[in-house]
Amino acid sequence: MKPPFPLRGRGVTIAPRNRYARLEREPFDDGWPQEEETPGAPPTEVRWEEAHSALTTNRSPDLGFDRSINPYRGCEHGCAYCYARPMHAWLDLSPGLDFERIIIARRYLADRLRSELNRPGYQPAPIALGTATDAWQPVERKLGLTRAVLEVLAEARHPWTVVTKGSGILRDLDLIAPMADSGLCEVYVTLTTLDAGLARRLEPRAASPRRRLEVIAALAQAGVPVGVSLAPQIPFLTEDMEAVLAAAAEAGARSAFMSILRLPQELETIFDDWLQRHVPERRERILARLRELHGGKLDGPFGERFRGRGPWADLLAQRFAIARRRAGLERSLPPLVTHLFRPPAKRAGEPVQQALF
């Protein structure tokens, strides 16, 4: 049943059934009086699954990497717009509230990565860390799965890249800074808006905009190549693009990119509910503009999903290009190196091939 008010500490309030569910449940009034209760934040539940593989390959033309690794499924940040929410359907969970409340932690992930980097003929290329969900979401503070992955990458001198909203990344600067010094990593910090009130409603458990600027500054001061991600841009809602780019540049960012909001599968229902609760007066305008940006739909095809199409997409891209140039963020971050790679040492109990030299 849909609560009559937002749930404190959560991005969405509904748990629509996933597209694979065979049963559908509806509230039923049995005539008994109901007492109104004010719910607190539904607690986070961590479920473990054994990781059978670490690296996932990508064939989408929208993305600039061919392999990724995700320590978690689901994300406590609770961003109402997250394109990864529909992935929870594969677990027979709701892409709504379940996505931010039930976090799947991948046991033995670092061990699987170590084994895969040791495969004969493995060719290194930058690994995108946490592409489906944030690698430094709050639960990482306790579980440390992302740090375990970083330790393997550091040992192997393997390049990696990440986009994050989590201030927890600063915990791992002891690993990140030396790798950055060798040209092995780059970080983009997502900053959708400087409006703290809006960010609190859109991204309830992510770091505040002010804190993310502090993260950019700390990374830059440590010598880590850092950029800013304005993803996603939401028409008539995240309207301070120029201010965001200027603030990020002042903090130490060296590059920037953006993408346009898309609403795949169950996310259409979830985000529409968020709009009705938080900005009902702008709901129709936002959805209408999104449809214009995506050719009449709320999600675009491969190759256009993040940039959109049509005159409004062109105008937004021009606006971003001008603002990025004025902020001095039009350059790309330096390319990552691959020639330093060496297979990490195998763990005790694994077969070890005799070295030739």
Side-chain angles (χ1 to χ4, degrees), residues 201-228:
R201 289 175 288 159
L202 264 181
E203 311 155 338
R205 293 199 176 189
S208 69
R210 177 189 58 80
R211 180 58 174 152
R212 286 183 235 179
L213 289 172
E214 293 174 353
V215 170
I216 292 174
L219 290 168
Q221 187 174 3
V224 180
V226 59
V228 61

PDB file of all heavy atoms in Angstrom, residues 201-228:
ATOM      1  N   ARG A 201      15.881  15.166  -1.384  1.00  0.00           N
ATOM      2  CA  ARG A 201      14.704  14.423  -1.815  1.00  0.00           C
ATOM      3  C   ARG A 201      15.014  13.464  -2.959  1.00  0.00           C
ATOM      4  O   ARG A 201      14.466  12.368  -3.025  1.00  0.00           O
ATOM      5  CB  ARG A 201      13.605  15.399  -2.249  1.00  0.00           C
ATOM      6  CG  ARG A 201      12.967  16.155  -1.083  1.00  0.00           C
ATOM      7  CD  ARG A 201      11.967  17.189  -1.571  1.00  0.00           C
ATOM      8  NE  ARG A 201      12.634  18.333  -2.189  1.00  0.00           N
ATOM      9  CZ  ARG A 201      12.050  19.174  -3.036  1.00  0.00           C
ATOM     10  NH1 ARG A 201      10.789  18.979  -3.384  1.00  0.00           N
ATOM     11  NH2 ARG A 201      12.707  20.196  -3.523  1.00  0.00           N
ATOM     12  N   LEU A 202      15.911  13.869  -3.847  1.00  0.00           N
ATOM     13  CA  LEU A 202      16.266  13.040  -4.997  1.00  0.00           C
ATOM     14  C   LEU A 202      17.217  11.914  -4.634  1.00  0.00           C
ATOM     15  O   LEU A 202      17.113  10.803  -5.160  1.00  0.00           O
ATOM     16  CB  LEU A 202      16.930  13.911  -6.067  1.00  0.00           C
ATOM     17  CG  LEU A 202      16.109  14.463  -7.211  1.00  0.00           C
ATOM     18  CD1 LEU A 202      17.014  15.270  -8.132  1.00  0.00           C
ATOM     19  CD2 LEU A 202      15.409  13.358  -7.997  1.00  0.00           C
ATOM     20  N   GLU A 203      18.177  12.193  -3.759  1.00  0.00           N
ATOM     21  CA  GLU A 203      19.278  11.277  -3.449  1.00  0.00           C
ATOM     22  C   GLU A 203      19.459  11.216  -1.931  1.00  0.00           C
ATOM     23  O   GLU A 203      20.453  11.686  -1.396  1.00  0.00           O
ATOM     24  CB  GLU A 203      20.572  11.784  -4.109  1.00  0.00           C
ATOM     25  CG  GLU A 203      20.413  12.129  -5.575  1.00  0.00           C
ATOM     26  CD  GLU A 203      21.427  13.152  -6.075  1.00  0.00           C
ATOM     27  OE1 GLU A 203      21.986  13.911  -5.239  1.00  0.00           O
ATOM     28  OE2 GLU A 203      21.656  13.197  -7.281  1.00  0.00           O
ATOM     29  N   PRO A 204      18.478  10.676  -1.198  1.00  0.00           N
ATOM     30  CA  PRO A 204      18.395  10.894   0.250  1.00  0.00           C
ATOM     31  C   PRO A 204      19.574  10.391   1.074  1.00  0.00           C
ATOM     32  O   PRO A 204      19.864  10.950   2.130  1.00  0.00           O
ATOM     33  CB  PRO A 204      17.104  10.169   0.639  1.00  0.00           C
ATOM     34  CG  PRO A 204      16.865   9.186  -0.449  1.00  0.00           C
ATOM     35  CD  PRO A 204      17.363   9.832  -1.691  1.00  0.00           C
ATOM     36  N   ARG A 205      20.267   9.344   0.630  1.00  0.00           N
ATOM     37  CA  ARG A 205      21.367   8.816   1.444  1.00  0.00           C
ATOM     38  C   ARG A 205      22.729   9.019   0.788  1.00  0.00           C
ATOM     39  O   ARG A 205      23.726   8.457   1.252  1.00  0.00           O
ATOM     40  CB  ARG A 205      21.136   7.339   1.755  1.00  0.00           C
ATOM     41  CG  ARG A 205      19.942   7.122   2.677  1.00  0.00           C
ATOM     42  CD  ARG A 205      19.976   5.771   3.342  1.00  0.00           C
ATOM     43  NE  ARG A 205      18.866   5.639   4.289  1.00  0.00           N
ATOM     44  CZ  ARG A 205      18.742   4.623   5.134  1.00  0.00           C
ATOM     45  NH1 ARG A 205      19.639   3.660   5.169  1.00  0.00           N
ATOM     46  NH2 ARG A 205      17.712   4.566   5.966  1.00  0.00           N
ATOM     47  N   ALA A 206      22.776   9.792  -0.258  1.00  0.00           N
ATOM     48  CA  ALA A 206      24.065  10.162  -0.853  1.00  0.00           C
ATOM     49  C   ALA A 206      24.627  11.362  -0.105  1.00  0.00           C
ATOM     50  O   ALA A 206      23.910  12.055   0.629  1.00  0.00           O
ATOM     51  CB  ALA A 206      23.883  10.488  -2.334  1.00  0.00           C
ATOM     52  N   ALA A 207      25.917  11.611  -0.296  1.00  0.00           N
ATOM     53  CA  ALA A 207      26.536  12.774   0.331  1.00  0.00           C
ATOM     54  C   ALA A 207      25.874  14.057  -0.171  1.00  0.00           C
ATOM     55  O   ALA A 207      25.394  14.123  -1.309  1.00  0.00           O
ATOM     56  CB  ALA A 207      28.028  12.791   0.020  1.00  0.00           C
ATOM     57  N   SER A 208      25.845  15.082   0.663  1.00  0.00           N
ATOM     58  CA  SER A 208      25.248  16.359   0.285  1.00  0.00           C
ATOM     59  C   SER A 208      26.076  17.009  -0.817  1.00  0.00           C
ATOM     60  O   SER A 208      27.258  16.677  -1.006  1.00  0.00           O
ATOM     61  CB  SER A 208      25.187  17.290   1.487  1.00  0.00           C
ATOM     62  OG  SER A 208      26.505  17.687   1.864  1.00  0.00           O
ATOM     63  N   PRO A 209      25.500  17.951  -1.569  1.00  0.00           N
ATOM     64  CA  PRO A 209      26.295  18.653  -2.594  1.00  0.00           C
ATOM     65  C   PRO A 209      27.554  19.296  -2.031  1.00  0.00           C
ATOM     66  O   PRO A 209      28.625  19.221  -2.650  1.00  0.00           O
ATOM     67  CB  PRO A 209      25.311  19.697  -3.131  1.00  0.00           C
ATOM     68  CG  PRO A 209      23.959  19.096  -2.909  1.00  0.00           C
ATOM     69  CD  PRO A 209      24.076  18.343  -1.621  1.00  0.00           C
ATOM     70  N   ARG A 210      27.451  19.909  -0.867  1.00  0.00           N
ATOM     71  CA  ARG A 210      28.635  20.523  -0.266  1.00  0.00           C
ATOM     72  C   ARG A 210      29.707  19.484   0.022  1.00  0.00           C
ATOM     73  O   ARG A 210      30.900  19.691  -0.241  1.00  0.00           O
ATOM     74  CB  ARG A 210      28.246  21.232   1.038  1.00  0.00           C
ATOM     75  CG  ARG A 210      29.427  21.857   1.784  1.00  0.00           C
ATOM     76  CD  ARG A 210      29.013  22.347   3.156  1.00  0.00           C
ATOM     77  NE  ARG A 210      28.455  21.281   3.957  1.00  0.00           N
ATOM     78  CZ  ARG A 210      29.187  20.382   4.616  1.00  0.00           C
ATOM     79  NH1 ARG A 210      30.513  20.415   4.531  1.00  0.00           N
ATOM     80  NH2 ARG A 210      28.611  19.442   5.333  1.00  0.00           N
ATOM     81  N   ARG A 211      29.289  18.330   0.544  1.00  0.00           N
ATOM     82  CA  ARG A 211      30.249  17.272   0.854  1.00  0.00           C
ATOM     83  C   ARG A 211      30.892  16.724  -0.411  1.00  0.00           C
ATOM     84  O   ARG A 211      32.085  16.402  -0.427  1.00  0.00           O
ATOM     85  CB  ARG A 211      29.547  16.157   1.630  1.00  0.00           C
ATOM     86  CG  ARG A 211      30.444  14.986   2.011  1.00  0.00           C
ATOM     87  CD  ARG A 211      31.619  15.429   2.842  1.00  0.00           C
ATOM     88  NE  ARG A 211      32.397  14.291   3.309  1.00  0.00           N
ATOM     89  CZ  ARG A 211      33.693  14.340   3.576  1.00  0.00           C
ATOM     90  NH1 ARG A 211      34.357  15.481   3.426  1.00  0.00           N
ATOM     91  NH2 ARG A 211      34.322  13.272   4.015  1.00  0.00           N
ATOM     92  N   ARG A 212      30.132  16.627  -1.488  1.00  0.00           N
ATOM     93  CA  ARG A 212      30.714  16.108  -2.740  1.00  0.00           C
ATOM     94  C   ARG A 212      31.753  17.067  -3.306  1.00  0.00           C
ATOM     95  O   ARG A 212      32.757  16.645  -3.885  1.00  0.00           O
ATOM     96  CB  ARG A 212      29.599  15.844  -3.755  1.00  0.00           C
ATOM     97  CG  ARG A 212      28.794  14.604  -3.412  1.00  0.00           C
ATOM     98  CD  ARG A 212      27.734  14.303  -4.455  1.00  0.00           C
ATOM     99  NE  ARG A 212      26.421  14.206  -3.859  1.00  0.00           N
ATOM    100  CZ  ARG A 212      25.308  13.965  -4.515  1.00  0.00           C
ATOM    101  NH1 ARG A 212      25.350  13.813  -5.829  1.00  0.00           N
ATOM    102  NH2 ARG A 212      24.148  13.881  -3.896  1.00  0.00           N
ATOM    103  N   LEU A 213      31.534  18.362  -3.127  1.00  0.00           N
ATOM    104  CA  LEU A 213      32.556  19.327  -3.530  1.00  0.00           C
ATOM    105  C   LEU A 213      33.815  19.149  -2.683  1.00  0.00           C
ATOM    106  O   LEU A 213      34.943  19.279  -3.186  1.00  0.00           O
ATOM    107  CB  LEU A 213      32.018  20.747  -3.405  1.00  0.00           C
ATOM    108  CG  LEU A 213      30.959  21.152  -4.432  1.00  0.00           C
ATOM    109  CD1 LEU A 213      30.361  22.510  -4.076  1.00  0.00           C
ATOM    110  CD2 LEU A 213      31.553  21.197  -5.849  1.00  0.00           C
ATOM    111  N   GLU A 214      33.638  18.831  -1.413  1.00  0.00           N
ATOM    112  CA  GLU A 214      34.790  18.564  -0.557  1.00  0.00           C
ATOM    113  C   GLU A 214      35.521  17.302  -1.010  1.00  0.00           C
ATOM    114  O   GLU A 214      36.758  17.227  -0.936  1.00  0.00           O
ATOM    115  CB  GLU A 214      34.338  18.416   0.899  1.00  0.00           C
ATOM    116  CG  GLU A 214      33.808  19.701   1.509  1.00  0.00           C
ATOM    117  CD  GLU A 214      33.231  19.503   2.893  1.00  0.00           C
ATOM    118  OE1 GLU A 214      33.127  18.334   3.334  1.00  0.00           O
ATOM    119  OE2 GLU A 214      32.888  20.517   3.544  1.00  0.00           O
ATOM    120  N   VAL A 215      34.787  16.310  -1.474  1.00  0.00           N
ATOM    121  CA  VAL A 215      35.407  15.085  -1.995  1.00  0.00           C
ATOM    122  C   VAL A 215      36.238  15.398  -3.236  1.00  0.00           C
ATOM    123  O   VAL A 215      37.374  14.931  -3.376  1.00  0.00           O
ATOM    124  CB  VAL A 215      34.332  14.030  -2.310  1.00  0.00           C
ATOM    125  CG1 VAL A 215      34.932  12.858  -3.083  1.00  0.00           C
ATOM    126  CG2 VAL A 215      33.679  13.528  -1.028  1.00  0.00           C
ATOM    127  N   ILE A 216      35.683  16.206  -4.143  1.00  0.00           N
ATOM    128  CA  ILE A 216      36.433  16.613  -5.332  1.00  0.00           C
ATOM    129  C   ILE A 216      37.723  17.310  -4.930  1.00  0.00           C
ATOM    130  O   ILE A 216      38.809  17.023  -5.459  1.00  0.00           O
ATOM    131  CB  ILE A 216      35.574  17.528  -6.224  1.00  0.00           C
ATOM    132  CG1 ILE A 216      34.411  16.743  -6.844  1.00  0.00           C
ATOM    133  CG2 ILE A 216      36.425  18.179  -7.320  1.00  0.00           C
ATOM    134  CD1 ILE A 216      33.430  17.603  -7.613  1.00  0.00           C
ATOM    135  N   ALA A 217      37.618  18.217  -3.966  1.00  0.00           N
ATOM    136  CA  ALA A 217      38.801  18.968  -3.519  1.00  0.00           C
ATOM    137  C   ALA A 217      39.851  18.047  -2.910  1.00  0.00           C
ATOM    138  O   ALA A 217      41.058  18.181  -3.174  1.00  0.00           O
ATOM    139  CB  ALA A 217      38.387  20.043  -2.522  1.00  0.00           C
ATOM    140  N   ALA A 218      39.412  17.095  -2.079  1.00  0.00           N
ATOM    141  CA  ALA A 218      40.356  16.177  -1.432  1.00  0.00           C
ATOM    142  C   ALA A 218      41.037  15.273  -2.446  1.00  0.00           C
ATOM    143  O   ALA A 218      42.245  15.011  -2.348  1.00  0.00           O
ATOM    144  CB  ALA A 218      39.618  15.350  -0.375  1.00  0.00           C
ATOM    145  N   LEU A 219      40.284  14.782  -3.422  1.00  0.00           N
ATOM    146  CA  LEU A 219      40.872  13.937  -4.463  1.00  0.00           C
ATOM    147  C   LEU A 219      41.889  14.722  -5.288  1.00  0.00           C
ATOM    148  O   LEU A 219      42.993  14.247  -5.565  1.00  0.00           O
ATOM    149  CB  LEU A 219      39.773  13.379  -5.364  1.00  0.00           C
ATOM    150  CG  LEU A 219      38.846  12.336  -4.737  1.00  0.00           C
ATOM    151  CD1 LEU A 219      37.642  12.089  -5.637  1.00  0.00           C
ATOM    152  CD2 LEU A 219      39.584  11.025  -4.487  1.00  0.00           C
ATOM    153  N   ALA A 220      41.502  15.932  -5.674  1.00  0.00           N
ATOM    154  CA  ALA A 220      42.405  16.761  -6.472  1.00  0.00           C
ATOM    155  C   ALA A 220      43.687  17.073  -5.703  1.00  0.00           C
ATOM    156  O   ALA A 220      44.790  17.030  -6.253  1.00  0.00           O
ATOM    157  CB  ALA A 220      41.700  18.043  -6.895  1.00  0.00           C
ATOM    158  N   GLN A 221      43.553  17.391  -4.433  1.00  0.00           N
ATOM    159  CA  GLN A 221      44.718  17.707  -3.614  1.00  0.00           C
ATOM    160  C   GLN A 221      45.640  16.497  -3.477  1.00  0.00           C
ATOM    161  O   GLN A 221      46.864  16.642  -3.371  1.00  0.00           O
ATOM    162  CB  GLN A 221      44.277  18.180  -2.235  1.00  0.00           C
ATOM    163  CG  GLN A 221      45.420  18.691  -1.358  1.00  0.00           C
ATOM    164  CD  GLN A 221      44.925  19.291  -0.053  1.00  0.00           C
ATOM    165  OE1 GLN A 221      43.732  19.279   0.219  1.00  0.00           O
ATOM    166  NE2 GLN A 221      45.836  19.828   0.742  1.00  0.00           N
ATOM    167  N   ALA A 222      45.071  15.288  -3.503  1.00  0.00           N
ATOM    168  CA  ALA A 222      45.867  14.061  -3.409  1.00  0.00           C
ATOM    169  C   ALA A 222      46.467  13.650  -4.748  1.00  0.00           C
ATOM    170  O   ALA A 222      47.145  12.630  -4.830  1.00  0.00           O
ATOM    171  CB  ALA A 222      45.006  12.930  -2.850  1.00  0.00           C
ATOM    172  N   GLY A 223      46.200  14.436  -5.800  1.00  0.00           N
ATOM    173  CA  GLY A 223      46.764  14.138  -7.101  1.00  0.00           C
ATOM    174  C   GLY A 223      45.966  13.171  -7.945  1.00  0.00           C
ATOM    175  O   GLY A 223      46.471  12.646  -8.941  1.00  0.00           O
ATOM    176  N   VAL A 224      44.721  12.920  -7.558  1.00  0.00           N
ATOM    177  CA  VAL A 224      43.869  12.006  -8.313  1.00  0.00           C
ATOM    178  C   VAL A 224      43.167  12.771  -9.430  1.00  0.00           C
ATOM    179  O   VAL A 224      42.535  13.803  -9.161  1.00  0.00           O
ATOM    180  CB  VAL A 224      42.815  11.365  -7.392  1.00  0.00           C
ATOM    181  CG1 VAL A 224      41.919  10.411  -8.188  1.00  0.00           C
ATOM    182  CG2 VAL A 224      43.487  10.640  -6.240  1.00  0.00           C
ATOM    183  N   PRO A 225      43.258  12.325 -10.682  1.00  0.00           N
ATOM    184  CA  PRO A 225      42.497  12.981 -11.759  1.00  0.00           C
ATOM    185  C   PRO A 225      41.001  12.875 -11.469  1.00  0.00           C
ATOM    186  O   PRO A 225      40.467  11.771 -11.358  1.00  0.00           O
ATOM    187  CB  PRO A 225      42.878  12.184 -13.008  1.00  0.00           C
ATOM    188  CG  PRO A 225      44.156  11.499 -12.668  1.00  0.00           C
ATOM    189  CD  PRO A 225      44.085  11.217 -11.196  1.00  0.00           C
ATOM    190  N   VAL A 226      40.341  14.011 -11.332  1.00  0.00           N
ATOM    191  CA  VAL A 226      38.944  13.993 -10.917  1.00  0.00           C
ATOM    192  C   VAL A 226      38.116  14.893 -11.825  1.00  0.00           C
ATOM    193  O   VAL A 226      38.542  15.979 -12.206  1.00  0.00           O
ATOM    194  CB  VAL A 226      38.799  14.407  -9.427  1.00  0.00           C
ATOM    195  CG1 VAL A 226      39.359  15.798  -9.183  1.00  0.00           C
ATOM    196  CG2 VAL A 226      37.351  14.329  -8.966  1.00  0.00           C
ATOM    197  N   GLY A 227      36.950  14.401 -12.170  1.00  0.00           N
ATOM    198  CA  GLY A 227      36.005  15.175 -12.957  1.00  0.00           C
ATOM    199  C   GLY A 227      34.653  15.180 -12.274  1.00  0.00           C
ATOM    200  O   GLY A 227      34.465  14.588 -11.209  1.00  0.00           O
ATOM    201  N   VAL A 228      33.706  15.858 -12.889  1.00  0.00           N
ATOM    202  CA  VAL A 228      32.363  15.947 -12.324  1.00  0.00           C
ATOM    203  C   VAL A 228      31.357  15.407 -13.333  1.00  0.00           C
ATOM    204  O   VAL A 228      31.469  15.655 -14.535  1.00  0.00           O
ATOM    205  CB  VAL A 228      32.007  17.390 -11.916  1.00  0.00           C
ATOM    206  CG1 VAL A 228      32.023  18.327 -13.121  1.00  0.00           C
ATOM    207  CG2 VAL A 228      30.657  17.454 -11.211  1.00  0.00           C
TER     208      VAL A 228
END
